[in-house]
Amino acid sequence: MVKDITGLLRDNGFKVTPQRLAVYKVLYESKEHPTAEMLFNELQPVYPTMSLATVYKTIEILAQLNLIKVLNTGEDSFRYDADTREHAHIKCIKCKDMGDVMDLEMGGLVQAVENKTGYDITAQQLYFYGVCPICRKNKMN
Amino acid sequence: MVKDITGLLRDNGFKVTPQRLAVYKVLYESKEHPTAEMLFNELQPVYPTMSLATVYKTIEILAQLNLIKVLNTGEDSFRYDADTREHAHIKCIKCKDMGDVMDLEMGGLVQAVENKTGYDITAQQLYFYGVCPICRKNKMN
DNA sequence: TATTAATAGATAATCAATATCTAGTAATAT
DNA sequence: ATATTACTAGATATTGATTATCTATTAATA
């Protein structure tokens, strides 16, 4: 929890509520890149009155403040990541597990794309798919 | 239209129908990475009885046969691409135009990811976002 | 040409995400 | 500390993409 989320919310005209702090906390402490539904299920026991709508509205605010990133992995729902450092994602097509690929040496990839396309690139999403080490051993599935 | 789609369909136990050929043809000749809705609208005049359900069912088959790729750019709907060569995609955050980035030198990026993660990588999706050359000139929007 | 199995199209159903509306709550001034 | 005000939470309804279902139709095969 490295960010002064309370101040950030207030400075941008959003009120600081326990629900918003809770959503961010769960997201920040999770390594699972949860969906809105997963966040909701995680918070339900602690905040019995928590609504799924509140989760979505909070997510929208957090994304707007660049506190989280929205992932589109090709599933039917979005996932969210509170680690805003630039990094790729990798997903196992067997066990569906999803992980991070940190500190990937891009070797001027972005620069190459800019040169090729004339775009001014502001963001990127890199997804890799394959079979994770565990599933490679467990040949049976 | 480089592929023998007729034979491919038949060999895999699917019947060859005009609708299926039409969906693939539109997709193959398009550079727009259309959504299901866009395909439907394109086909409507020629096949007045064409149903959106048929578009979706055909897409599923084509994807299964690796004749097309499914793109998830973070929009509310999927896009489809009949160019199955490995390539990245780039989208303008202003005009929403979506283009290809062909022949991108990856510089052993996949190999690096495999080394880092222990995965056996079988597929990848690279999306870049930014401002396209046209929108960079047209400062007004 | 007849038979059979798969498909097209119409329709309903699903489900993630968004919008709406009101009681409740955080922020600010008093 | 309290009151006032504006924003928010939660409940609910709605939207919109995608999927499922069901039957008449059509492609494949004999």
Side-chain angles (χ1 to χ4, degrees):
Chain A
M1 194 84 67
V2 288
K3 318 243 187 192
D4 176 22
I5 178 179
T6 298
L8 247 172
L9 283 170
R10 233 188 304 261
D11 291 350
N12 285 276
F14 298 110
K15 289 189 175 174
V16 177
T17 68
Q19 290 88 340
R20 289 179 180 170
L21 297 177
V23 168
Y24 179 68
K25 187 167 188 289
V26 170
L27 208 34
Y28 192 84
E29 291 173 350
S30 167
K31 289 287 169 201
E32 298 178 295
H33 314 89
T35 63
E37 183 103 32
M38 289 161 73
L39 286 168
F40 174 72
N41 291 334
E42 187 88 30
L43 289 162
Q44 186 66 16
V46 189
Y47 293 82
T49 71
M50 172 71 73
S51 163
L52 195 53
T54 300
V55 174
Y56 277 110
K57 283 183 281 195
T58 302
I59 283 168
E60 193 185 351
I61 292 171
L62 295 177
Q64 197 178 314
L65 298 179
N66 288 313
L67 287 166
I68 64 171
K69 286 204 174 189
V70 181
L71 308 181
N72 46 292
T73 63
E75 296 165 313
D76 49 1
S77 52
F78 289 104
R79 288 171 172 265
Y80 307 97
D81 191 345
D83 190 337
T84 56
R85 293 173 294 173
E86 202 61 74
H87 66 281
H89 290 95
I90 191 162
K91 187 175 168 192
C92 180
I93 56 179
K94 297 272 188 189
C95 68
K96 312 298 178 196
D97 183 55
M98 188 172 169
D100 296 300
V101 188
M102 306 304 295
D103 309 312
L104 191 59
E105 186 49 64
M106 298 283 288
L109 193 69
V110 172
Q111 184 64 51
V113 174
E114 287 186 328
N115 292 345
K116 255 184 198 297
T117 62
Y119 267 65
D120 180 18
I121 292 175
T122 56
Q124 54 183 289
Q125 300 263 0
L126 308 192
Y127 301 100
F128 296 92
Y129 303 88
V131 184
C132 75
I134 296 169
C135 287
R136 290 178 70 181
K137 279 189 189 135
N138 302 352
K139 284 286 182 354
M140 62 291 184
N141 54 355
Chain B
M1 194 82 67
V2 289
K3 318 243 186 192
D4 175 22
I5 176 178
T6 298
L8 246 171
L9 282 170
R10 234 189 304 260
D11 292 349
N12 285 275
F14 298 112
K15 290 190 175 173
V16 178
T17 68
Q19 290 89 341
R20 288 179 180 169
L21 297 177
V23 168
Y24 180 67
K25 187 168 189 287
V26 170
L27 207 36
Y28 193 84
E29 290 173 350
S30 166
K31 289 288 170 199
E32 299 177 295
H33 312 88
T35 62
E37 182 104 32
M38 290 161 73
L39 287 169
F40 174 72
N41 291 335
E42 187 89 5
L43 290 162
Q44 186 66 16
V46 190
Y47 293 82
T49 71
M50 173 71 74
S51 164
L52 194 54
T54 300
V55 175
Y56 276 109
K57 282 184 282 194
T58 302
I59 283 169
E60 193 185 351
I61 293 171
L62 295 177
Q64 199 178 313
L65 298 179
N66 288 313
L67 287 167
I68 64 172
K69 286 204 174 188
V70 181
L71 306 181
N72 183 351
T73 63
E75 296 166 313
D76 48 3
S77 52
F78 289 103
R79 289 171 173 266
Y80 307 96
D81 191 346
D83 190 339
T84 56
R85 293 173 294 173
E86 201 61 74
H87 65 282
H89 289 95
I90 189 161
K91 187 174 168 195
C92 180
I93 56 178
K94 296 271 187 189
C95 69
K96 312 298 179 197
D97 182 55
M98 189 172 167
D100 295 301
V101 188
M102 306 304 295
D103 307 313
L104 191 59
E105 185 48 65
M106 298 282 290
L109 193 68
V110 172
Q111 184 64 53
V113 174
E114 286 187 328
N115 291 345
K116 255 184 198 298
T117 63
Y119 268 65
D120 178 18
I121 293 176
T122 56
Q124 54 185 290
Q125 298 269 359
L126 309 192
Y127 302 104
F128 295 93
Y129 303 89
V131 185
C132 75
I134 296 169
C135 287
R136 289 177 73 180
K137 280 186 187 136
N138 301 351
K139 286 286 184 348
M140 62 289 185
N141 56 354

